Amino acid sequence: MINNSDVISTNVLIVGGGSAGLATAIELANRLKEKGQDKKIMLIEKGSSIGSHILSGAVIRPKVFEDLLTPEEFQEIPFDSKVSTDVTAKLSEDGEFELPFHPPYMSNSGNFVASLGEVCRYLAKIATKKGVEIYTGFAVDDMVYEDGKVVGVKTKDTGLDHNGIKQKNYQEGTVVKADITVLAEGTRGSLAKKVIDKYNLDEGKSPQIYSLGVKELWSVPEGNIEEGAVYHTFGYPLKDKSEFGGGFIYGLTNNRVGLGLVVGLDYPDPTFDIHASMQIWKTHPYVSKFLEGGKIIEFGAKTLPEGGWHSIPKYYGDNFMIVGDSAGFLTTARLKGIHLAIRSGICAGQTAIEALTKNDTSEASLSQYENLVNSSSIYKELYPIRNMRAVMQEGMIIGGLKMGIQLVTGGACLAVPKVEADMDTTKKLSEYKGIKFKDRFPGKLEFDKKLTFDKVTDVYYSKAMHDEHQPPHLVVNNPQEFQKINIEEYGLAEEAFCPAEVYELHFDKEGNQSLRLHAENCVHCKTCDIKSPNGGITWRTPYGGDGPEYNYM
């Protein structure tokens, strides 16, 4: 238990102002009103405002909103445009081929292109009108336990210098106690990670694996792309069997393009660079034609949980539930998780109202959350493709054939490869026998800052800001081990996989290697926490309000 005199209380505390957290708040507020109950719902968001840390493609399946909102509220959702064109293309270095059919699960008929940040800002307004208290700019640093059970959270201490020494403006974080705490932190939630570890919630599960999506938003001349146009690509510049992923290009209103490259983090090459791959991908004529004459507006990056049904941990316990990406509710086959995040929030809200009504927030009471998930579209969508991501490790041909078998068998498949944690798939420099990343793309890694950008330039367009006097929120867990293993054996793979140039391999005059950390560049994708060999890095929340400032990502 944390001793702190500054304690506030609420009935339900939601940590995270994304789609899952806001859906939980709205559903619970709706149910409380129906029952005539007066309970306090509080939502804490680390970003400076709702939406400032939200990034997604995004193409949204709208139906789930009809179950959350009134018809009037549904009509006002700020979707950007309805999908008008839906194409999947196979790229090669010297050409492209548009598929004459939609791959399974990839049809976007009836879906909407949107900014998830805009949608979350709208949902926050609805939640506030329903009585939900929303506080932005507050980073939550730790869980609070009593008698081994979750009883709330503690916000981050502030006023510490770079070495953690208290300054004159030091302020201890506030303890927020709640009957029920809902963790809605998004991918690789730092609190969810602690809770999962403390209670062994992932026992018997496959490791969660992730992808990293690197995205840019562009303003382009009229006629470059139709609003509502959706293009997905696979192939170049990714290497089949080694790198799983693809690109997306979405047409938005006001002559804007949202585009990005999403790549699984289970690749073996310690020098592979997803940000640089995205820049190379943009130079392909199939992609660059949409950007010709345009300019970049925003940049960002985020990770996505891709493990699927077998990687989802137990997502509830005494006094707590985990929702959305933090629990792993995402459909890799569709490259979509927003509708599942909202559905999980609805299920959590329905569970919370029953638990509060019975005055029983025990694990047994909150197990209703699992029952609701298993009878919802989450199960119906994820269970039949439970082996999809695992078989795709074998490449597009064999993996695609096995995926076809699963479509017939309802997900059953023989000879499903074992899934390893992303940090364990990275090879040491001495062990990796493939062509190193820079040698694969000679002459293509000099960026012109017009069509292609280096990492620091892109970070500028994320508007990332951090108080540089605070203790670094990126923690090297064991500096001596990190030097020996991560730097000397892996060549600082973090420098390659980080999309924001947070990690720099420095050489002194004698040729000695060391790490230079630029935490101020961080865009909160948490790739380092996931992919760092030997679990070398832990991502922690920085001061509240720090990080990127996304407007329309």
Side-chain angles (χ1 to χ4, degrees), residues 142-272:
D142 213 345
M143 301 298 299
V144 179
Y145 305 94
E146 290 181 3
D147 299 323
K149 299 178 181 179
V150 170
V151 295
V153 304
K154 179 179 177 290
T155 62
K156 194 173 185 72
D157 297 343
T158 58
L160 300 169
D161 71 7
H162 202 69
N163 297 310
I165 298 173
K166 297 177 183 178
Q167 302 299 293
K168 291 181 180 179
N169 63 337
Y170 171 77
Q171 185 171 346
E172 187 175 2
T174 299
V175 170
V176 184
K177 289 190 173 182
D179 300 321
I180 300 174
T181 299
V182 180
L183 301 179
E185 306 166 279
T187 305
R188 194 72 164 189
S190 51
L191 296 184
K193 181 182 170 185
K194 291 181 179 181
V195 168
I196 290 168
D197 182 61
K198 180 178 178 66
Y199 297 118
N200 297 314
L201 301 180
D202 56 355
E203 184 177 5
K205 300 290 184 176
S206 297
Q208 183 60 268
I209 58 176
Y210 300 84
S211 63
L212 171 64
V214 179
K215 178 184 176 182
E216 293 174 356
L217 181 68
W218 281 62
S219 173
V220 298
E222 186 174 358
N224 276 30
I225 194 169
E226 174 190 4
E227 62 183 58
V230 169
Y231 298 88
H232 287 106
T233 75
F234 64 99
Y236 184 82
L238 306 181
K239 184 167 59 178
D240 192 31
K241 295 186 180 182
S242 296
E243 297 134 17
F244 172 76
F248 64 89
I249 307 160
Y250 300 155
L252 301 161
T253 56
N254 301 319
N255 300 310
R256 292 170 302 160
V257 181
L259 76 165
L261 190 69
V262 183
V263 182
L265 291 175
D266 55 347
Y267 58 81
D269 180 3
T271 69
F272 185 74

Side-chain angles (χ1 to χ4, degrees), residues 14 107 110 127 133 147 328 350 384 446 531:
I14 301 165
S107 173
E133 297 180 15
D147 299 323
Q350 293 172 354
E446 295 294 327
K531 185 65 172 171

Side-chain angles (χ1 to χ4, degrees), residues 85-89 98-99 102 230-233 286:
T85 301
D86 193 10
V87 175
T88 301
E98 292 187 348
L99 302 187
H102 290 299
V230 169
Y231 298 88
H232 287 106
T233 75
Y286 189 83

